[in-house]
Amino acid sequence: MKSVLRGVGAATIALAFALPVSGQTLLRLAPPEGQVSRYVYSMEMTMENPMMPTSGPALSVRADQTLTILGATDEGIRARVAIDSAATTSAIPGAVLPDLSGTSLTVEMDPRGRLMNVASDEPVGSPAGEVAQEFLEGANFFWLPEAGVAAGDSWTDAVPVPISLGGPAQTTEVEFTYTVTSLGDGQATITFAGPVEATLDMGGMPAGISGELNGSMVVDLAAGRYVRQESMMTLEMAIGGMAMPMETTTTLELVTDPG
C-alpha cells in the first residue's frame, strides 16, 4: 500500500531568481547553503468503490517537514528533507502505512527543480524510509521553465508521473502546460495542467486510468522559496466493467520563517 503515495506527495525546494532580462525573468534554483524552511503538507484521497464503500476520505496524510539546503552549484542543489511529525488515516481495507515521523531524505536536483536522485537516510529496508522516498519522487512536477518568462507566458513540458493503486507503480508521461499567471510584487505564481492516461495491472486484470492533474505554485522571489504548492488529480479507473472515480488533493504551505 506504500505506493499509494506516489504521485500525491509534494517536494519542497527553495528558489532564487535571476534579474529580469529584456522584460523576462529566468527562474532557477539557487538557494543559499544552510537555508532552512519549514512546511506543512496535507493530502486527501477520495475513492468511489462500489465493492468497498467508505465514508469520508479513503486516505489522508498530514506531515510537518523541514528542508535544509546542504549545498548549491550551477549544476544542481543538494538538500535534506526531515519529516518532523506525521499522521495518517485510512479507510482502505488492509492499508497500513508506517509512521513517517522522524524520517529524513537527501534530495539532489538540477537548477530547474527536476529530481536527479532521492535517497532515504533511514536503514536499508526501512518501510518508513521507502514510503518517504516515494512520497517525494511522486511529486516531481513542480518544474521551472527552461527559458526566461514574463507574466502571461506559457510553455509545455513532458513530465513522468508515477501512478499506482496498491501494486507496483507505473510511470506515465504527462504533457503539462505551465502558465505564469502573475510575476510581480515579489512573488511569482505558476499554474499547470495536463491529461493523465495509463493502464495499470491490478493483479492480472488491466485497469484503464484517465483524467487530469493540475496545480499551482507560489514563489517568494526575494526569499527564494516556495510559499505554497497545491495539486489536484481527478481520475476515473475502469476495471472489470466498473468505473471508479478518484480524487487526490495536496497542499504544501510555508508555516514559519527560516531559522
Side-chain angles (χ1 to χ4, degrees):
M1 191 57 207
K2 65 184 180 183
S3 53
V4 169
L5 290 179
R6 292 181 78 94
V8 298
T12 316
I13 294 298
L15 303 177
F17 294 80
L19 294 175
V21 178
S22 301
Q24 294 189 319
T25 302
L26 186 65
L27 309 184
R28 287 293 182 268
L29 297 176
E33 182 175 344
Q35 185 185 67
V36 176
S37 300
R38 296 185 176 91
Y39 294 84
V40 60
Y41 165 77
S42 61
M43 180 273 284
E44 184 174 285
M45 182 177 73
T46 60
M47 178 185 303
E48 296 181 22
N49 185 347
M51 303 299 293
M52 294 186 296
T54 60
S55 60
L59 183 69
S60 64
V61 179
R62 185 189 187 281
D64 298 298
Q65 61 188 61
T66 300
L67 182 139
T68 304
I69 302 300
L70 304 177
T73 67
D74 292 340
E75 286 72 38
I77 297 95
R78 187 167 177 266
R80 174 163 292 117
V81 179
I83 301 176
D84 304 312
S85 63
T88 64
T89 60
S90 175
I92 303 175
V96 179
L97 298 176
D99 185 3
L100 303 181
S101 302
T103 59
S104 66
L105 305 101
T106 300
V107 179
E108 297 175 351
M109 68 203 66
D110 74 7
R112 290 180 58 199
R114 298 178 297 183
L115 282 181
M116 300 163 61
N117 187 52
V118 178
S120 171
D121 298 333
E122 306 309 309
V124 175
S126 163
E130 292 177 2
V131 171
Q133 184 170 339
E134 292 186 352
F135 171 89
L136 291 185
E137 289 174 339
N140 189 223
F141 37 78
F142 293 93
W143 288 9
L144 301 181
E146 183 174 3
V149 292
D153 286 352
S154 295
W155 67 95
T156 60
D157 255 315
V159 179
V161 175
I163 298 177
S164 179
L165 294 170
Q170 298 182 32
T171 299
T172 185
E173 191 171 85
V174 177
E175 186 169 283
F176 286 115
T177 297
Y178 295 81
T179 302
V180 180
T181 58
S182 66
L183 186 57
D185 296 326
Q187 289 192 341
T189 301
I190 300 171
T191 61
F192 60 89
V196 178
E197 300 288 341
T199 300
L200 304 183
D201 183 354
M202 302 293 289
M205 182 178 295
I209 298 286
S210 61
E212 183 179 71
L213 198 165
N214 62 73
S216 66
M217 45 188 135
V218 180
V219 186
D220 184 329
L221 303 181
R225 59 181 175 180
Y226 286 121
V227 174
R228 184 178 176 87
Q229 295 177 349
E230 56 188 1
S231 69
M232 175 182 290
M233 184 161 57
T234 304
L235 303 176
E236 184 171 278
M237 181 171 69
I239 179 171
M242 294 188 304
M244 296 169 50
M246 296 171 285
E247 183 175 280
T248 301
T249 59
T250 68
T251 302
L252 180 78
E253 190 159 15
L254 183 71
V255 292
T256 65
D257 290 331

